[in-house]
Structure formats: C-alpha cells, structure tokens
C-alpha cells in the first residue's frame, strides 16, 4: 500500500491532523572501544548527535562500556558529549552481545524518558548490538545511514489510525535504497528512541575542546547468569598487512571491469607507485571472491575519504559511490563512456584499464627517472 | 553419539540485481518482472547448516517468508539437501520492516519446534540491514554470533570465529544459538544430482512434497497481525530522492591515444604529489 | 543403499536435436498412451545458455514439428528479404550478382534466429506439452552434464553426472541414451566404439550481437575475403535482426596453416571494414560468444549412427552442411526421426541395436545425409588446392579494392591461365557437377599447422576505436561465471607444453592454444627461468578450440559442473 492514496482522502475531507507534541528528548550515542581503544566512529557519532541535539534543543548523552576505560569518558566530553555514562566492569572488557545489551537496556529503562534518538556505529559491534536494543524496545532502527536530520512529518495513512498525525521532531534517517540511485528517508516517530547506525567515516567529529565540561556518571552493571552463555575465548588482532583502507591517502579501487582476480595485481602495481596507498574493491568483486571483504568500499563495506581515489573498471553504482564520494580527487578509468562513475568522478579516462594503468605506471617511472637523472647530474 | 541436532536456516528470495530484467529506467525494481534468486548471503548460511548436519548429524529445516513464489528457493534448498521447509506467506506481511519481519519469523521458528541453532545470512542484498538475525535472537532470548566465518561443535557447545574490526574473536557458546554467517565462510557446495532428481520427483507427487514443504500463514503460527506488515513496523520509508549528481563536471579524456590521455591527466591533476619519489 | 536413478530415455544435451526429439516423442506417446520417463541433461544453467549459432535457418523442419510455430511465440529475429553473397577487399565490398554464386547461398525467405532463444523456447514448449501428456515424465536437469559414459557388456547404459563419481548417486542411467552434444561427451562414445576412421574437422565460429542506430532487419550477408586473405577457409556473416540489432560473425576453419590465428581478433579486423563500421559505429556491443562447428561432413560421419544403447544426433553426429551453411534444420530432423524410432522401440519393448537401426536408415534416406553426400567434396576442394583461397581469392579481393573485382579474378589467373582454368573446372566439378573421386580422408586440424607460417597483415586504417574490443574485454560480454574449484581443462603433460612454448618462442610466436583461444584462457606463465602453460579457466567460454589446435594433442576440455561457463543467452 502506498502512502499517496490515503493522503488524497485526508485532503478531501479537509480533516486537520492531530499534532503529537512530545517533550524533546536527548540524543544518545552508544560509543565503542576495542581493547581500550576508542573507535573513531564514536566521535563522529557525537559530532552528528551534537547537530541533532542542537536542533532539538537538548543534550548529547553518551554511553561507553568496557573495562579500565581511563580517559575515554573525558575525551568523549571534549568531543561534544554533555553527559557520559560509564559502565566500567571486568566482564565488559571484551565485547559480547548479551552483557552489553544488558547494560544498555538497564540504562535506558532507568531513564524517566527514553532518549529521543539513539545512534550506534555500523561496525561489527554496532550492527550486532543495535538490532537487539531496537527489538527489545520495539522501536525503529535504520542501518547504515549516510545523513541524519531532525524535521517534521505528517502521517496521513489511515491504515493504523493511532499513527495518524503531525510529528514535529522526527529523526530523518537517510540511506541509499538498494540497487538504485535513490536515497530513502526513513522515519519512525511513534516510539523513542528513534535509532540509526552510520558507517565509520561518514559523519564529521567536532574538534576536541579539552576545556569542555560535562557530567560523567558511573552506571551500575548488573549482569545475569544467562548473559554468560557465550564466552570470548580469544581475540586475534590481524597484523595490518599494508595500510588500513580508511587511513590511506591514495586508494586504488578495482571493479568488475578488471576482468578477474589476477587483474588486481595490476592495481597493486599501480598502488606501489604511491606512498600511503591501499587497494579497494567494489562489492561485486568481493562477492566473486576476487579480493577479501576488508577491501570493500561502499554501503556494505567501508567508507573512505582519501586525497586521491582512482576507480578502475568500476561502473560506479550507488552502493559504491556512497563509500567514496567524499574523496578529494576522484579519477575514473573505464571503457564505457556511459558508466555512472563519470557522473561523479572529477577526471575520467575512457579506455581499457589494461592499457591505461600500465601507461600511468610507465609515465610515473619515467618521471621518477627524470628526477633521478637530475640528481645524478649534480 | 550425541543426539542429532535440529538445525534451522533462514533464507530469503531477493531480486537478482545482476540481471537487467525488471529494473525500471528510474532505477527502482519491478519485483514482478525481476529475476528472483536465493539471497547470496544465505548460501553461506545454507552451507553452514548442511555442513553442521553432515558433520554432527541432525536435520535441517529451511524457513522463509515471502510471496508464494518464494517456494522456489525452498526447492533449491531441498536440492541442496535440507530435510524440510516452511514458507510463511501472508498478504498481511506486506511492507514489514525489519522489526515486524523479525517478529513474524520468530513466530515461525517457535511454530517449527525445538532447535539447537539457527543460521541466517549476514544480511540480504535487497535490504542490506543485517538486523533481522539479531532481532530474532532478541525475541527468542538467544545468544548470537554475527559475522561468523567458522563454526564447529565441541562437547555440545558451539565454537565459532567471528569478524570484528581489525581482527577476529573466537567464541564458545551454549546452545541454542543464532548465527549470522559472513561471506568469508565456505561457499555453498554443489547440489547433488540425486537432490535435483528427488525434487523433480516430489514436484510430481504433491502429497509427498507437502510432507516436506509446508506453507503457513499468520493464523497457523499464532502471530498477531497487528504486529506484522505496515501496522507492526515502527519505521516507514517516508520519502525517496534521486541521488543528485555529485561532482557532475567530470573532465573527460577520450578519443586520444592512451599515452596522450595519461600525460594530460597527470598534467591536470595533483596526482604526482602522491607518487613515490624514492 | 540407494537405487540407481534410471529413465527410459536419457537425452544428453539440451540441443535443438534432443529437444525436438523430446517434443515429438511427447506427441507420439500422447497418441499411443505409452508410459515413458525421460531425463534431459544440459550443462548450461538454462536451456540455451551454452548454445551459440549464426543463425539463418530454413524453417522446414520447424514447420513439421510445430506447424503453428508462428502463433506459438517462436522467437524470430527477422525473415531474410535481402540475401547477399559478397567478397570483401580491405576497404571495399563487392556484392556478387546472384547468377555468379550457387543458389544454396541465397537465403531469401529463411529465418534469422537467435538460437539460444529458440532452444529456451523449445524447453518451455516441452514443459507445456508435458502437461498434456500425463503418461510421460520429463525431468529437466539444467546445470548437470554428462562427464563419463558407462558401458556395461558392450552397451551404453548411463553417464556419470560429475567428473569424479564416488557413488551410485553420481550416475544416471537410461534404457536408450541420445547424445546431442557438441562432442564433449559423444567423442567418448565414438572413441570407445571406434566409429571413426576419418577424423572430424572443425571450424570455430565467433559472433557478436550489436545494438545499432539503423534497422537492418531481414538483410543477410555472407562474405569471403578480408580478413581471411592468407588461405584459411572461412568467411564472415552479418545478419540484420529486429529492434536494430545486428549479428556480426566469422567462421574460421581450424585447419589453417597459421599457428597464431586468433578468431576473436579476426572478428575485430572484420569489424574494422568500412562497410561494417558504417553499421556499428555509434552502436553498442551486447553479447559475444564462440563455438565449434563440425565441418567434415559426409566422410567424417561415424561408421554407425547407433551403438548398443545409444544414438548420435546433430553435432554429435556431424550433420552440419558447410556448403549450404545449414545445421539447425538438420539437427532437428535427427531429433524428429529419432523420436519415431525411439517410440517404436519403447512400444515394442525392444531396445536392441537392431531396434534402433532404423534411425540410421531413415536419416540416410532423408535430406540430411543425402545433401551431405551431394556436398561431400566441398571442404576437400579447398583443401586439395590451396590456390583457390591462397591465390585467387586474395586477387579477387584486391580487385574489389581496385573496384574491378572481375578484372582481379582474371589477373589472378593470368600468369598461368591453363592452371587457373583447370583449377576452376576441377573445383566446379567437385562442388557442383557431382564429380566422384571416391572416399577421402582428412587429416586432423592441428596437423595442418605450419609453425613458421606468418600471414601478411592487411588492415583498414579508419575505424572507430570504441567498436573494437580486446579479447579480455570481449569475455565480459560472454558473461562467464564459474563455481569455485572449477578445473575443466586437462593439460596432460606439462613438459610437453613447455616444449611447445619453446618451439614457438624461438619462432617469435606464441603457441596455438594461447593465440587461437577465443577467450583469454591460455597463457604463458614465467616462473623463474621456466616458461609454463597456464590457464585462466574463469574466462573460458567452452568453445574447445584449444583442444582441436593443440599441436601435441595435450589438452582436453571437459564438461563443467553446476551450470558454470558463459551465458550465451541472446546469441
């Protein structure tokens, strides 16, 4: 059922819709640390939360869970949290769904009013925890948002008359719609907290202000026996092979147009020409198994914003675009002049990647030798 | 010999986005015309379920929710070797968001009886939320392993490896348990000829087929219609926008020789600033 | 213990021959009420996904099997209303006056077809018809191919459906088994029963489908000359289809002297011709594919069409007629005839070789083998006299470029007019006048390769670069998809490959497998000091050219599993 039909009916009868003025609640960020290391996405979420709270005229709350958290709460304040709830407990040292879920639900249930909005990172942790919280409170959750905002919404559909009305302060959770060059605004104003997750790298953190004041509140941790059904035996940190994608200055990305897994060797060669470079890939080639998941950029992969992004044989579907469109310079190499990638790249070469990339490498080498020969002449 | 395990696997039929059929010019999908397929992520879940059955013994039940045509993917699951299938199909489920979907699915799971583990794909290719699995676990009060890339049973407990940022976690969990399987898990094995043969035979013998494949509606499983579909969904898609052309003024290099285009590109960008000088 | 999976009739290959057989059998069984079970194995993921053909075909057999085919949604791309036979120079084209070429090249009234769509249609018709004939069970196994033939006590009784069968689960059996494949598995039957003295010889067909700006529906060209001006037997074809689509293809014999004849590249050269450029510039490539054509004709036919338990149809038999450029109707006629024989056998309950023998008798009495006999020397004519394609044709082509095609022909004969006249008479006699020189025996294609042979290169200079695709890029348009762990080409002896690579390296060439591959599969890997043969199997479009041209007979292309391979739908 589409919304347009009831909309017309409402218009015909000229009814005025009830206005649901609810007290404006705070904006909660559930921050994340791994082995005592605060994850950058948490600061980005606080940055986004500050904007939302500013529009609502309310406060930014932040919950951090872990063990021996040190100065993390202060840092969260410095980056914009007004109140930081701290759950510091040995059983929270490593992330586990059930104990973390317990702390979050206990905290929210202890509040006289639930927060207006609750935000988590679209990380393996956030995507594990957020749906459990949303299901527990039977509230809406939108995954992998690329934009967040607060605004009014008129619900005119009469399918459920209890939902009818004007909601002045909804969370606009905006995300690309699947397989399409569309973005959808998803709303759930009927129940608080209105929840959303965003990918690391999407939102912008506030600069740290060490002088900033905020409340830091210890949260009681009351775990139950059933919360220990699952135990973490070990954590294996991968020795970073090469530079992390999200930290690279230059990213060489390959898509289906590379033809096969071996094609990525050519990209690695090109990446070798640059300092601080990394290899990325579109989802399609990750699905095909040409390259591991950690290289995937896009809606279901990582979000990156390097200084230089060279997209090779990537058509430029929306899912990929949302993960890299904020790169400072985007160069696209694609055989198909109609490829969508040329609509948002800054520079586009229409040509076979297997001809263009070797030529690029050749000209870089030549330039390098040029520099050397000048040096030698001294 | 431990008692055989009751293994559930949740699967979904999604539009095949690699096929151009049913893709409208504006980018939306006409689901009636689009080619349909088993959600690619669910192939890993199916493999995990079948592997668990083959290694430790047990019975695999494939559960899906969708229109009647979704029975196609259950037939595919049968060909691969699952033992029974349940399709939840009900018009009142239309426009369910993840929460309403999870509600309905947890009701089917309950209706299907006891289980030791539920495998799900990490996410679907048409929703990309990765929410339904954990939300079912919450409603069933289960521990969960998301992003699972290895799974075994030792001494009656699940041992699994899951992906976390920058590494992996090894976990041990009591059963029952819900697992969402990452695409770094093993690929789905081939369907056997006998599996394909059996399904063709079953399709000619509806009375036998109905013993293995049941279609249920909300009333059968005792789900409250108010908590399903549009009514049961706390979120709605209020508005869609065509994504504006970002950039939009791409400098194009075409029609010249490759070396010329590359030279010009290097000249007109700051690309050289990043090139290694040593 | 599981029991054998056995059907009355097992059809190997979802080919036009086997699908015609199955459909006709349904009709016969509907009349007789005979209960039958039939299984069809098709290695592609769908019916039609592994089939590629020209195709211009006369609908006479289609009409016999589906009299109302036009009202049944039978997919027709166009009806030929403008048939041309042309000689290409490097820059010019000369359409021969109709009187100057054999009538068999006139395709007016023939159907232009997309064979993959036709096969998919036949599959659907079969399922529809089956609803009407409850006494017949038809099981369709797409994504499953026959890998090994099972012979028990001298009788073909079944096939394995995986490469390495482990249990009874991996076999399927049939009281009668019909092979309608392109040789992937029927070659094993032919070898095991020693059915062939004279080898089959092959051509490879490469084809692209283009979206054009103009409508060429109904126009058909068959061309000789450019870009095959070095003596290789073959030619080009361009067929106009509905919706402004155009088929552009080449058929190139694999008995070429040239060890480095890349069919995909030849097709690109063909497309550079100004005449084709004028049609495709500004257009869009939609699909690319390749397949082998059995060209030997009459003398390459197996000694028997039937062995105990099995029958050979279509390309498995080798009924394609190169002279009339027709194979589809012949394959379908095989199926039509086989259906009757198979039905009689089941009604009588007699599946002996003798009971199936009428298949061969009836086929030999039909146009299928009669035409094949009539045109039995067509290929031989060009083989026995290399001057026809190596000298006269290039001269005519030169004349075409000079806008004096006939003068070119005369000039070609001028240095030795007596020989030219004798050559002409001999060729005419063999091809058209029914001259009999007794049985002939071909040599296998790879034996024709002359490692040192280097052809002259001619190329038009003006063409739109965006219309030309490298082989690696072309594969993209064949939409290959392979399952993990696929390994469907055997290299029997790595040392033999290394030696072959060395031979060709020293001549400044590459090996025939690398050069002639239609899909960027074979490569030379440099590992330390060694140069080894390597393969990118995920690119393979399963044409089997490498197997045929390997000078050492060191490669073998096996059927794939799980429907892996190209997606030729639309070719």
């Amino acid at each position: 059922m589409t919304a347009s039909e009831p909309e017309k009916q409402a218009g015909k009868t000229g009814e005025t819709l009830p206005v649901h003025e609810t007290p404006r609640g705070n904006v909660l960020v559930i921050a994340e640390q791994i082995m005592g290391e605060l994850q950058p996405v948490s600061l980005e979420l606080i940055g986004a939360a500050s904007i939302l709270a500013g529009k609502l005229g309310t406060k930014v709350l932040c919950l951090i869970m872990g063990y021996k958290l040190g100065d993390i709460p202060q840092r969260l304040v410095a980056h914009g949290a007004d109140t930081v709830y701290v759950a510091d407990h040995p059983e929270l040292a490593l992330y586990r769904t059930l104990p973390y879920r317990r702390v979050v639900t206990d905290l929210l249930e202890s509040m006289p009013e639930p927060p207006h909005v609750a935000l988590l990172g679209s990380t393996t942790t956030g995507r594990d925890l957020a749906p459990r919280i949303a299901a527990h409170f039977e509230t809406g959750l939108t995954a992998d948002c690329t934009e967040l905002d607060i605004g009014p919404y008129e619900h005119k559909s009469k399918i459920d008359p209890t939902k009818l009305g004007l909601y002045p302060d909804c969370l606009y959770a905006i995300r690309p719609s699947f397989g399409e060059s569309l973005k959808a605004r998803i709303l759930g104003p009927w129940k608080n907290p209105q929840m959303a997750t965003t990918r690391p790298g999407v939102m912008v953190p506030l600069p740290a202000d060490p002088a900033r004041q905020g409340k830091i509140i210890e949260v009681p941790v009351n775990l139950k026996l059933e919360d220990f059904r699952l135990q973490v035996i070990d954590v294996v940190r991968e020795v970073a092979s090469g530079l992390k994608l999200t930290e690279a200055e230059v990213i060489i990305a390959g898509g289906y147009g590379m033809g096969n897994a071996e094609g990525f060797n050519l990209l690695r060669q090109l990446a070798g020409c640059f300092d601080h470079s990394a290899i990325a890939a579109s989802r399609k080639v990750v699905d095909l198994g040409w390259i591991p998941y950690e290289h995937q950029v896009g809606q279901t992969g990582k979000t990156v914003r390097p200084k230089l992004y060279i997209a090779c044989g990537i058509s430029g579907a929306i899912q990929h675009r949302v993960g890299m469109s904020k790169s400072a310079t985007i160069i696209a190499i694609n055989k198909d002049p109609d490829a969508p990638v040329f609509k948002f790249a800054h520079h586009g070469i229409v040509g076979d990647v297997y001809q263009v990339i070797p030529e690029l490498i050749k000209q870089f080498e030549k330039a390098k030798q040029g520099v050397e020969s000048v040096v030698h002449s001294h | 010999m431990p008692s055989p395990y009751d293994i559930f696997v949740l699967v979904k039929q999604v539009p095949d986005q690699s096929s151009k059929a049913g893709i409208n010019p504006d980018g939306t999908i006409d689901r009636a015309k689009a080619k349909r397929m088993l959600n690619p992520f669910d192939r890993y879940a199916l493999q995990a379920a079948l592997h668990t059955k083959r290694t430790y013994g047990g019975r695999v039940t494939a559960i899906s929710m969708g229109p009647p045509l979704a029975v196609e993917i259950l037939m595919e699951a049968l060909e691969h070797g699952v033992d029974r299938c349940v399709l939840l199909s009900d018009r009142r489920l239309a426009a369910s968001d993840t929460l309403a979907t999870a509600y309905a699915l947890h009701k089917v799971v309950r209706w299907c009886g006891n289980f030791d583990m539920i495998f799900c794909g990490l996410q679907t290719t048409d929703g990309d939320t990765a929410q339904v699995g954990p939300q079912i676990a919450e409603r069933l009060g289960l521990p969960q392993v998301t992003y699972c890339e290895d799974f075994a049973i030792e001494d009656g407990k699940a041992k699994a490896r899951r992906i976390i940022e920058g590494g992996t976690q090894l976990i041990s969990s009591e059963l029952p348990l819900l697992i969402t399987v990452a695409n770094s898990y093993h690929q789905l094995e081939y369907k056997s000829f006998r599996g394909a043969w059996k399904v063709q035979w079953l399709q000619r013998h509806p009375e036998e087929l109905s013993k293995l494949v049941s279609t249920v509606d909300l009333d059968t499983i005792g789900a409250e219609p108010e908590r399903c579909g549009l009514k049961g969904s706390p979120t709605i898609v209020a508005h869609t926008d065509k994504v504006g052309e970002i950039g939009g003024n791409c400098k194009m290099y075409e029609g010249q020789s490759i070396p010329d285009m590359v030279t010009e590109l290097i000249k007109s960008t700051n690309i050289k600033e990043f090139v290694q000088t040593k | 213990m599981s029991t054998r999976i056995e059907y009355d009739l097992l059809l190997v290959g979802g080919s036009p021959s086997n699908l015609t057989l199955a459909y006709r059998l349904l009709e016969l069984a509907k009349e007789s009420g005979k209960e039958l079970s039939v299984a069809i194995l098709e290695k592609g993921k769908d019916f039609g996904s592994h089939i590629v053909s020209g195709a211009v075909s006369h609908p006479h057999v289609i009409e016999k099997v589906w009299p109302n085919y036009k009202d049944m949604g039978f997919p027709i791309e166009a009806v030929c209303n403008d048939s041309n036979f042309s000689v290409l120079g490097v820059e010019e084209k000369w359409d021969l006056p109709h009187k100057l070429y054999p009538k068999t090249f006139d395709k007016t009234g023939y159907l232009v077809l997309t064979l993959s769509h036709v096969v998919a249609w036949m599959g659907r018709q079969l399922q529809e018809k089956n609803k009407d004939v409850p006494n017949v069970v038809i099981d369709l196994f797409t994504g499953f191919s026959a890998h090994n033939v099972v012979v028990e006590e001298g009788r073909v009784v079944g096939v394995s459906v995986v490469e390495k069968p482990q249990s009874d689960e991996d076999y399927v059996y049939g009281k009668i088994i019909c092979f309608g494949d392109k040789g992937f598995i029927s070659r094993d039957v032919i070898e095991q029963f020693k059915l062939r003295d004279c080898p089959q010889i092959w051509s490879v067909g490469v084809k692209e489908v283009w979206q054009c700006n103009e409508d060429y529906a109904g126009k058909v060209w068959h061309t000789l000359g450019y870009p095959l001006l070095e003596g290789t037997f073959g030619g080009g074809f361009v067929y106009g289809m509905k919706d402004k689509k155009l088929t552009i293809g080449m058929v190139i014999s694999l008995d070429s002297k040239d060890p480095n004849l890349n069919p995909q590249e030849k097709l690109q050269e063909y497309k550079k011709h100004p005449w084709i450029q004028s049609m495709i510039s500004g257009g869009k490539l939609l699909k690319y594919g390749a397949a082998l054509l059995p060209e030997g004709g009459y003398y390459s036919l197996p000694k028997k069409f039937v062995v105990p338990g099995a029958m050979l149809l279509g390309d498995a038999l080798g009924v394609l007629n190169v002279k009339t450029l027709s194979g589809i109707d012949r394959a379908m006629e095989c199926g039509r005839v086989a259906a009757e024989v198979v039905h009689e056998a089941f009604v009588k309950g007699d599946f002996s070789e003798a009971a199936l023998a009428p298949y061969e008798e009836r086929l030999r009495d039909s146009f299928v083998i009669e035409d094949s006999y009539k045109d039995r020397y067509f290929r031989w004519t060009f083989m026995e006299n290399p001057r026809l394609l190596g000298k006269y044709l290039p001269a005519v082509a030169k004349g075409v470029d000079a806008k004096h095609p006939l003068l070119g022909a005369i000039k070609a004969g001028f240095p030795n007019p007596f020989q030219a006249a004798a050559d002409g008479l001999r060729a005419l006699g063999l091809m058209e006048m029914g001259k009999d020189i007794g049985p002939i025996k071909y040599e296998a294609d790879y034996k024709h390769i002359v490692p040192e042979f280097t052809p002259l290169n001619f190329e038009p200079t003006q063409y739109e670069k965006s219309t030309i695709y490298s082989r690696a890029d072309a594969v993209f348009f064949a939409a290959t998809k392979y399952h993990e762990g696929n390994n469907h080409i055997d290299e029997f002896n790595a040392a033999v490959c290394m030696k072959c690579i060395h031979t060709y390296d020293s001549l400044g060439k590459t090996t025939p497998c690398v050069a002639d591959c239609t899909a960027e599969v074979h490569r030379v890997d440099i590992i330390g000091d060694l140069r080894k043969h390597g393969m990118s199997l995920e690119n393979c479009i399963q044409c089997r050219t490498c197997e045929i041209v390997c000078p050492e007979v060191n490669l073998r292309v096996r059927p794939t599993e799980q429907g892996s391979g190209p997606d030729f739908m639309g070719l």
Side-chain angles (χ1 to χ4, degrees), chain A residues 120-152:
Chain A
L120 289 91
S122 288
T123 57
T124 54
T125 302
R127 286 177 129 213
D128 188 85
L129 183 59
R132 302 246 2 179
I133 309 299
H136 181 84
F137 291 104
E138 306 248 351
T139 190
L141 166 64
T142 307
D144 305 341
C145 299
T146 49
E147 291 167 55
L148 296 170
D149 204 353
I150 298 285

Side-chain angles (χ1 to χ4, degrees), chain B residues 11-13 64-71 87-90 93 215:
Chain B
V11 292
K12 187 187 181 190
Q13 190 173 50
S64 187
M65 171 176 140
L69 268 179
V71 81
L87 174 66
L88 170 62
S89 195
D90 196 309
L93 287 163
T215 301

Side-chain angles (χ1 to χ4, degrees), chain B residues 18 20 35 80 187 189-194 196-197 200-201 204 255-257, chain C residues 2-3 5 7 41 137-141 144 161 169 171-172 483-484 561-562:
Chain B
S18 67
K20 283 183 185 128
K35 276 198 176 178
H80 280 283
Q187 294 247 345
E189 280 172 34
Y190 308 166
K191 58 187 176 193
S192 70
F193 186 78
R194 187 163 285 264
W197 171 77
Q200 301 226 23
W201 184 86
R204 288 196 303 274
Q256 309 162 49
S257 79
Chain C
S2 55
T3 48
I5 298 174
Y7 289 85
L41 303 182
V137 163
I138 295 192
D139 283 350
L140 309 177
F141 294 98
F144 287 98
V161 288
E169 307 241 325
Y171 292 93
V172 56
H483 64 268
E484 202 171 84
E561 297 185 55
Q562 301 293 303

Side-chain angles (χ1 to χ4, degrees), chain A residues 101 124 127-128 132 138 153 163 178 180 183 185 187 231 233-234 236 273 275 346-348 350 363, chain B residues 27 123 126 138-139 141-142 144 146 165 168-170 172 227 233 236 238-239 241 251 253 263 276:
Chain A
R101 169 201 164 277
T124 54
R127 286 177 129 213
D128 188 85
R132 302 246 2 179
E138 306 248 351
Y153 170 63
K163 287 184 177 176
F178 77 93
E180 304 156 17
K183 55 183 183 181
R185 185 192 292 168
L187 308 175
Q231 297 292 342
I233 305 166
D234 197 8
V236 182
C273 298
D275 290 318
H346 305 109
H347 298 268
V350 180
Q363 296 204 14
Chain B
Q123 60 197 49
D126 60 349
E138 178 67 21
R139 295 204 183 264
L142 296 178
Q144 71 188 29
T146 54
E165 261 64 30
T168 53
Q169 265 186 346
L170 297 180
S172 159
R227 299 179 71 181
S233 299
I236 51 148
H239 186 75
D241 264 334
K251 183 169 185 219
Y253 308 78
T263 310
Q276 271 180 2

Side-chain angles (χ1 to χ4, degrees), chain B residues 178-192:
Chain B
L178 183 140
I179 306 104
T180 77
V181 186
N183 51 0
S184 43
Y185 188 80
H186 308 281
Q187 294 247 345
L188 181 59
E189 280 172 34
Y190 308 166
K191 58 187 176 193
S192 70

